[in-house]
Amino acid sequence: MALYLGIDLSTQGVKAELIDPENPAAGSGGFAVGFGADLPQYGAPEGFVPDPDPLVRAADPAMWLDAFDLLFARMRDAGAPLGEVAGISGSAQQHATVCLRECFPRVLGNLDPGKTLAEQLVPCLSRRFSPIWMDRSTARECRELEARFGDRLRRETGSPAVERFAGPQIRKFAKEAPEAYRDTAAIHLASSFFCSVLCGAPSPVDYGDGAGMNLLNLRTLVWDGEIAAFTALGLPGRLPRAVPSATIAGGLSGYFEKYGFRAGTPVAVWSGDNPGSLIGVGAGEPGIAVVSLGTSDTFFAAMRSFHTDPDGYGHVFGDPAGGFMSLICFSNGSLAREAVRKECGLSYEAFDRVTPVPESEHLLLPYFVPESTPLVLEPGAEYGFDWASAPAEERVRALLESQILSMRLHSAWQNEAFRRIRVTGGASKSAALRRIIADVFQSEVETIAVSNSAGLGAALRAANAIGGIPFDMLYGRFCAPVSVTRPDPARKARYDRMLEAYRQLEAGRSGTAAARLR
């Protein structure tokens, strides 16, 4: 029996998926560590260090390392057959950087199983905390990059300068902490850092996650020397190699034998959580879009050809199955839905019973927190109707429809008429929301049994890269749809009309009609 392990380092915890490609029902998931519940000593109940500045969001790599030790200990103690694992890979929250001193490779190669990972590796950090994808404190650095490179940044790295991306974060670090930056020998993404930890030697960065840095030239698939050198002095020499997602990074470190693993087990290079989820929901080939309804909402899909969003809100990353994928992030996902649910005093069940098509066509700009698409740094919802006096069900309906109309508006640059959309994430359980997605996009909406798509995607990538199992075979065994919501053609004209009204409402808000800062 050959098992494959996928690990998912998310914002709020770390999870594992163990699969058997020959017997999908025999696999096991459910292994997880929550940062808030299981590691309360770090004071990060939502996965990041509290900061009075709402634009600053950073996590402690020591917390991540302790979570890994705890996860593997739980798997061992539960009797998981870790000695039968034939390959490992992982997905990690994108854009988070880990800055390391020169001692990192030496310590990695001599890990003591009698000590924790954090005890041994934290002294190698040249920057104590890692900015994560939620950090938006780099607007100045983004302006500097855009002023220097203009539209070339978007056309060649797949995105304009983005506040939460690693490149602007590194530039800010080098400017504000020059001594710590000079003490930095290597800068990894969270994905390549943990792949390095597993292998006991520095790991490359895959194209999927590396594209989220504003540093990887997607036309040449190597770090753009000019952009990297401008971002921070000497940065090109501090970056790991960028490689295809099927690359084998190395063999598992002997440190992990104490948990029941076999030393030397092949480890495929890790990727970002969004590229991992593309694989985990079985959408690595063009034609299927994925809507992930979580803390933030994302809309992503495999691309038929490389091109970028002229407005600068959509992003292009590497597709782990080959080629490229698009991604659009809407920060006001479940955060906005939860705010409205509480404001209306509704239970989760009542929230989901909202009729999706009323007589009214109410709209709002749902910016309850800073928004990514379009860029809105100062939150504040804006209403196209009398919000305060509207019944609860109309407010909920207006929020849900406005969120999905925004997705349709800002995904049009992909030039793809998606016939199928797969939904994942906690809010995908909402029948009302699935109905709205189907009718707004006039596409079939499929749910799948997968709950941890990034972790499953990592396991499928390991089975493909290490076990040589084709992705289409893996998709058929692990990613088959379990329900389908078909669009109602009679609602097409209504939503086409509402889409134009939403476009005008958004364009009328000061600062959102223009593209990103250039």
Side-chain angles (χ1 to χ4, degrees):
M1 179 172 62
L3 304 179
Y4 295 92
L5 176 63
I7 304 167
D8 171 31
L9 172 68
S10 68
T11 309
Q12 299 185 2
V14 60
K15 303 175 184 177
E17 294 288 333
L18 194 60
I19 66 168
D20 178 357
E22 299 303 319
N23 186 10
S28 58
F31 299 109
V33 172
F35 297 141
D38 294 315
L39 297 168
Q41 65 269 31
Y42 286 100
E46 296 179 274
F48 54 82
V49 180
D51 192 283
D53 185 345
L55 298 180
V56 174
R57 290 290 181 262
D60 190 342
M63 178 179 70
W64 295 342
L65 291 164
D66 277 346
F68 267 67
D69 273 322
L70 181 55
L71 176 73
F72 294 143
R74 285 182 173 176
M75 295 181 75
R76 176 197 62 201
D77 297 344
L82 300 181
E84 298 173 14
V85 171
I88 304 170
S89 192
S91 301
Q93 55 174 296
Q94 291 197 254
H95 319 306
T97 51
V98 183
C99 299
L100 299 155
R101 295 190 172 98
E102 192 175 4
C103 64
F104 180 61
R106 174 178 55 78
V107 174
L108 262 189
N110 295 279
L111 289 174
D112 181 352
K115 299 179 180 179
T116 68
L117 291 171
E119 287 173 328
Q120 299 174 81
L121 293 174
V122 166
C124 295
L125 297 174
S126 59
R127 181 181 193 174
R128 188 64 182 86
F129 298 112
S130 297
I132 63 172
W133 66 273
M134 300 172 73
D135 189 279
R136 297 174 181 276
S137 63
T138 60
R140 178 179 299 175
E141 288 71 28
C142 288
R143 287 195 296 268
E144 292 166 351
L145 284 161
E146 292 284 356
R148 173 65 179 81
F149 296 104
D151 201 41
R152 182 168 96 79
L153 204 64
R154 173 186 62 82
R155 289 184 288 102
E156 298 190 356
T157 73
S159 305
V162 180
E163 290 75 14
R164 64 188 185 277
F165 273 31
Q169 296 289 349
I170 294 168
R171 181 169 177 81
K172 182 184 178 186
F173 172 50
K175 288 164 54 181
E176 296 184 351
E179 290 187 12
Y181 179 72
R182 283 194 294 270
D183 194 31
T184 299
I187 299 178
H188 279 269
L189 293 175
S191 61
S192 60
F193 173 70
F194 277 101
C195 190
S196 302
V197 171
L198 289 180
C199 294
S203 165
V205 171
D206 91 307
Y207 298 150
D209 208 12
M213 298 183 76
N214 280 137
L215 297 172
L216 185 68
N217 190 311
L218 297 184
R219 299 183 186 278
T220 64
L221 293 176
V222 297
W223 302 117
D224 191 299
E226 185 182 8
I227 295 173
F230 177 83
T231 297
L233 183 66
L235 179 58
R238 290 171 165 86
L239 297 173
R241 289 184 302 120
V243 298
S245 300
T247 302
I248 308 303
L252 189 66
S253 165
Y255 173 88
F256 297 98
E257 287 184 305
K258 67 181 182 180
Y259 298 118
F261 289 102
R262 289 179 290 108
T265 299
V267 178
V269 66
W270 282 39
S271 192
D273 53 358
N274 291 302
S277 290
L278 185 75
I279 301 301
V281 298
E285 299 298 323
I288 305 176
V290 183
V291 172
S292 177
L293 300 163
T295 304
S296 61
D297 291 342
T298 52
F299 185 103
F300 52 97
M303 301 179 73
R304 299 183 190 277
S305 62
F306 175 78
H307 61 281
T308 59
D309 179 4
D311 288 334
Y313 297 121
H315 311 297
V316 179
F317 302 142
D319 177 351
F324 299 96
M325 64 173 286
S326 61
L327 181 138
I328 313 159
C329 179
F330 301 87
S331 300
N332 281 268
S334 287
L335 292 173
R337 291 187 286 272
E338 185 67 3
V340 171
R341 184 189 70 80
K342 289 181 177 179
E343 179 182 323
C344 293
L346 296 175
S347 67
Y348 288 104
E349 293 76 14
F351 188 91
D352 190 45
R353 283 199 297 268
V354 171
T355 304
V357 182
E359 293 296 324
S360 59
E361 297 182 1
H362 294 328
L363 296 170
L364 73 147
L365 301 181
Y367 309 144
F368 292 80
V369 299
E371 181 53 67
S372 302
T373 306
L375 181 64
V376 178
L377 295 180
E378 295 294 332
E382 187 169 308
Y383 308 103
F385 64 104
D386 186 353
W387 174 266
S389 63
E393 62 271 18
E394 289 193 14
R395 283 183 274 173
V396 172
R397 193 161 46 231
L399 170 69
L400 299 182
E401 291 185 322
S402 296
Q403 286 185 319
I404 305 309
L405 287 164
S406 181
M407 279 188 187
R408 180 177 160 188
L409 175 65
H410 292 291
S411 62
W413 66 274
Q414 296 171 81
N415 300 319
E416 180 81 49
F418 296 106
R419 293 187 299 275
R420 289 188 292 161
I421 296 176
R422 290 195 164 177
V423 293
T424 183
S428 65
K429 298 181 179 67
S430 168
L433 195 47
R434 296 197 304 270
R435 163 55 56 198
I436 291 171
I437 295 171
D439 290 342
V440 168
F441 281 92
Q442 287 294 296
S443 300
E444 292 188 351
V445 172
E446 301 175 340
T447 62
I448 54 178
V450 177
S451 59
N452 178 15
S453 57
L456 177 61
L460 298 183
R461 290 183 51 247
N464 173 261
I466 297 163
I469 305 173
F471 275 126
D472 57 355
M473 185 180 295
L474 293 167
Y475 296 157
R477 294 176 182 177
F478 291 95
C479 310
V482 296
S483 73
V484 179
T485 302
R486 292 181 171 82
D488 182 349
R491 296 174 181 172
K492 181 179 184 303
R494 176 181 186 272
Y495 280 122
D496 286 348
R497 183 171 62 250
M498 291 180 70
L499 179 68
E500 184 55 35
Y502 185 87
R503 186 198 314 273
Q504 293 177 14
L505 180 64
E506 185 180 287
R509 178 177 172 128
S510 176
T512 64
R516 270 187 191 276
L517 295 170
R518 301 210 181 274

